[in-house]
Every structure is written in C-alpha cells, then in structure tokens.
C-alpha cells in the first residue's frame, strides 16, 4: 500500500514566497553533485501574463517521462524583487555540477541579470568553481522564453555569442503567431518532426517573436509560418547551435522563443526535450529513486492577466504517474485543498 498526498493551496495574498531572500533557492533540495544531470532554472516565478506553475510543471513532466534526473533552482521576480543564482564562485560551483542548464523564463522581462550572464558565460566556457571539488566537463544550455526580444535588448551579446541566435526588440512579434503544427527545419535536429500547438494562448498571451541564426554556425530548428520567407531572416521559432555543417563546438545551445505549453500533447513535449537532450548527449538517469509523482498540472486562466473571475468555478487538473520503480499492491491519492492561512476546504482520499 502506498499513499501520495496531492496538495493544492488556494492563495489569497501575494505573500506566499516572501520568505525567500534576495537569492533564489533549490526547491526541492538539490541532490548530491553528479546525481542530477540537468539543472532547471525556473526564472519565471510569479508573472501575471504567463503560467509559471503550469509551464514549469510541463518541463518537469517531460523530463520525468524521458527518464532524466534534474534539480530545480527557483529564481525570477516577485513583489518587485529579483531573485537570482548566487554570484561569483559560489554560483559557478552550482552550475558546474550539471551537463545542461534549462533556463525557463516565460514572461520575465529581466531574463538573466548581469551577474547571471557572467556565470553562464563562465559555465559554457568550461570554467569550474572552487567551492567544491566536483566539476563536469559537458556544458549545454536550453533557453525557453516568449520574451526573446527583451532578452536580445538587455543581453544581446550573450544571445549572439553563446546561443548564436538573434532577433530585434519587438520588431518581429506576431500576436497569435505560433505555427500549428510547428514544423521542424530540414537538417536540424527536428527534421521530419512536427508538433501540435492547440494550446498556444490558452494559459497566457501568445506573442512569439521571430528569431534567426546569428551566424553560419547555427541553424533554424522550427519554422515560424507567420514570418516564413521574410527577407530579414527572422523566420524561426527556434535556433540550434551548432548546425550539422558547423565545425565542432565546446558547448551546444538551443533557443526556443516560446512557451513549452504551446505543445498540447504530453508525449510530444517529452519528445521535444528528449530530442534536444539526446543531441546534447545528456545522460539519462539509470535508476529513479521515486515511484509516484505529480506528472502534470493544469490551471486554466480566465483572463490574459491571470485573474480568476468572481463566482466562476475553476477546474484544476492534477496528474499522478506511477513510474513503476517499486512494487506496490495498490495506490491511493489524497487531495487536500487549503488557504494560505491554513483553512482546509477539502481533504479526502479519492
């Protein structure tokens, strides 16, 4: 017999994460260095135009489904404060434990501070921190954000020189412009692949910005149909570095200028990450230490700004997956709903 608690908290104020300091934190706690191959930096935290909990959960679900080990570091903006990865040697000693950094930033317009840019540059250059003795050689980055135009405006040199992608501030945005289906570009890692995007704009505003390779060492990975054939070349949803024709590179980079939630089919979200991580030669987890887990979370939004309308019921869907790593005779799920103040609205075994 095995019992897992699924806790859904109903928040009535904006103080839920006020206990965080100016630095972000691992949540849950990080595994020992080397046990997790992937660091997911959740840089969205709480943003009204995006679905941070939903989007981050989509990523975690896809990694679980693919059999990958990961840690999650929470950063981003909350109540006007920006939470970041520790600077200097302390931060580098965190990053150098992982084969790939997945940086999800949703609608955060302050994507990577100057300190974080410096850290990421050192990480991708192969530098090691000295806080501990662990330092991995493989280095890769995956950037996921709809605000790629803001990133280009504030951190364009990093976008150009490390991700080898380019756009221009707000010039190539097409509202409701996500391709459906989204087709892979020939000779890219998504050649002959296409994914449905029926949920584009369902949980957040859909405003993709066309991007292009910065130089010949990179290639487009997904077509943006609304800008396909544009003379300026900003006709892609994604860029991969290096391209198949490029010489060897020390690190690999994949830039996706959209939300992972545009892909409405769970298996296709898993395939999206598996395709990139396989290309990056990121190791899968040989044995998983968890058997049951929350594998999906759907919280629909009634308004582009994220407000829940008065007296209108909201349906929250929680998915639980048995990963089959332990033998159990039966499984029960307990759903508990309570307010931030601790008032319990529902507590029962389903």
């Amino acid at each position: 017999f095995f019992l897992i608690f699924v806790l859904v908290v109903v928040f009535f104020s904006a103080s839920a994460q006020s206990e965080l300091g100016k630095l972000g934190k691992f949540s849950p706690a990080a595994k020992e260095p080397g046990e997790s191959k992937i660091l997911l930096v959740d840089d969205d935290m709480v943003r009204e135009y995006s679905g941070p909990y939903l989007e981050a959960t989509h990523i975690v679900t896809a990694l679980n489904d693919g059999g990958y080990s990961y840690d999650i570091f929470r950063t981003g903006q909350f109540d006007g404060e920006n939470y970041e990865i520790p600077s200097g040697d302390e931060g580098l000693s965190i990053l150098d434990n992982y084969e790939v950094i997945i940086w999800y930033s949703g609608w955060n317009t302050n994507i990577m501070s100057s300190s974080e840019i410096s850290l990421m540059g050192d990480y991708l250059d192969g530098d090691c921190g000295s806080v501990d003795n662990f330092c991995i050689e493989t280095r890769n980055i995956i950037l996921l954000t709809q605000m790629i135009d803001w990133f280009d405006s504030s951190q364009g040199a990093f976008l150009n020189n490390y991700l080898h992608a380019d756009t221009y501030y707000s010039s190539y945005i097409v509202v409701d412009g996500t391709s459906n289906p989204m087709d892979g570009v020939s000779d890219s890692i998504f050649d002959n692949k296409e994914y449905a995007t029926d949920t584009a704009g369902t949980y957040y505003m859909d405003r993709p910005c066309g991007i292009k390779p910065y130089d010949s060492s990179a290639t487009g990975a997904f077509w943006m149909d609304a800008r396909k054939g544009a003379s300026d070349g900003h006709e892609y949803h994604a860029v991969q570095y290096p391209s198949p024709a490029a010489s060897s590179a020390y690190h690999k980079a994949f830039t996706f200028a959209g939300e992972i939630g545009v892909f409405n089919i769970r298996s296709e979200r898993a395939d999206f990450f598996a395709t990139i991580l396989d290309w990056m030669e990121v190791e899968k987890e040989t044995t998983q230490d968890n058997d049951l887990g929350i594998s999906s979370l759907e919280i629909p939004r009634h308004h582009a700004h994220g407000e829940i309308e008065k007296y209108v019921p909201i349906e929250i869907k929680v998915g639980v997956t048995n990963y089959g790593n332990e033998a159990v005779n039966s499984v029960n799920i307990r759903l508990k709903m309570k307010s931030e103040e601790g008032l319990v609205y529902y507590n029962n075994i389903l």
Side-chain angles (χ1 to χ4, degrees):
F1 179 81
F2 194 95
L3 181 65
I4 184 171
F5 291 85
V6 178
L7 177 63
V8 178
V9 182
V10 182
F11 294 99
F12 292 100
S13 73
S15 61
Q17 300 191 42
S18 60
E19 72 274 9
L20 288 175
K22 293 182 180 180
L23 297 179
K25 67 175 183 179
F26 282 101
S27 179
K31 302 180 183 69
E32 289 297 315
E35 290 186 14
S36 294
K37 309 303 180 184
I38 299 168
L39 178 63
L40 170 58
V41 179
D42 183 3
D43 196 24
D44 199 32
M45 196 153 321
V46 177
R47 304 295 294 169
E48 64 179 12
Y49 282 99
S50 62
Y53 301 114
L54 175 64
E55 293 297 315
T57 300
H58 278 331
I59 298 172
V60 168
T61 302
L63 296 178
N64 284 337
D65 289 347
Y68 293 96
S69 56
Y70 57 87
D71 291 323
I72 305 175
F73 197 91
R74 313 286 181 175
T75 63
Q77 294 182 345
F78 188 83
D79 276 353
E81 190 77 63
N82 198 56
Y83 299 93
E84 302 178 6
I85 295 174
S87 61
D89 197 57
E90 180 183 357
L92 184 56
S93 293
I94 292 174
L95 299 183
D96 69 14
N97 292 341
Y98 303 94
E99 296 181 359
V100 60
I101 311 297
I102 299 177
W103 200 291
Y104 165 69
S105 51
W107 274 76
N108 186 355
T109 56
N110 187 23
I111 307 167
M112 296 189 198
S113 66
S114 57
S115 171
E116 290 170 330
I117 284 290
S118 177
L119 284 173
M120 287 302 300
D122 290 342
Y123 164 79
L124 293 173
D125 287 339
D127 295 344
C128 297
S130 59
V131 171
D132 56 39
N133 294 322
F134 190 88
C135 182
I136 205 159
E137 291 186 8
T138 303
R139 308 292 177 94
N140 302 285
I141 181 173
I142 301 171
L143 175 65
L144 309 167
T145 180
Q146 277 210 71
M147 306 303 288
I148 194 67
D149 48 315
W150 286 76
F151 188 57
D152 177 76
S153 176
S154 61
Q155 307 293 357
F158 181 84
L159 179 65
N160 295 160
N161 298 325
Y162 283 93
L163 287 92
H164 295 261
D166 185 57
T167 189
Y168 190 73
Y169 185 66
S170 302
S171 295
Y172 309 112
I173 291 174
V174 180
V175 175
D176 297 325
T178 297
S179 303
N180 191 10
M182 191 177 292
D183 293 318
V185 175
S186 297
D187 296 327
S188 74
I189 59 174
F190 288 98
D191 190 2
N192 293 320
K193 289 181 180 283
E194 68 172 31
Y195 299 138
T197 63
D198 294 348
T199 46
T202 300
Y203 304 106
Y204 42 79
M205 186 183 293
D206 178 30
R207 43 87 76 199
C209 184
I211 63 174
K212 70 176 183 179
Y214 180 65
D215 51 42
S216 60
S217 66
T219 185
F222 283 111
W223 291 111
M224 183 175 176
D225 292 342
R227 304 207 82 252
K228 192 172 183 179
S231 59
D232 51 56
H234 294 83
E235 55 182 343
Y236 303 105
H237 281 300
V239 166
Q240 76 174 62
Y241 166 79
S243 68
S247 59
S248 60
Y250 185 79
H251 75 272
K252 292 181 179 179
F254 192 90
T255 307
F256 183 65
E259 300 274 5
I260 186 62
V262 301
F263 304 127
N264 56 287
I265 300 174
R266 174 175 167 178
S267 62
E268 293 186 350
R269 293 194 294 267
D271 187 69
F272 171 85
F273 280 106
T275 300
I276 301 171
L277 294 171
D278 181 64
W279 168 64
M280 291 179 170
E281 301 180 18
V282 174
E283 292 183 27
K284 289 190 175 183
E285 193 171 15
T286 54
T287 57
Q288 292 180 314
D289 58 5
N290 64 308
D291 192 53
L292 297 177
I294 297 176
S295 56
S296 61
L297 179 64
E298 296 184 19
I299 307 177
R301 295 186 162 229
H302 294 186
H303 191 277
H305 290 203
E307 294 95 341
I308 305 268
E309 297 177 14
K310 190 175 183 180
Y311 300 125
V312 177
I314 179 173
E315 185 178 78
I316 299 174
K317 296 181 180 180
V318 180
V320 179
T321 296
N322 182 342
Y323 294 105
N325 299 308
E326 299 178 11
V328 293
N329 295 323
S330 62
V331 175
N332 282 353
I333 306 298
R334 168 165 285 172
L335 177 63
K336 186 175 184 180
M337 298 183 67
K338 67 178 183 179
S339 70
E340 186 183 11
E341 290 76 20
L343 177 63
V344 176
Y345 293 98
Y346 183 86
N347 185 4
N348 200 3
I349 296 178
L350 304 179

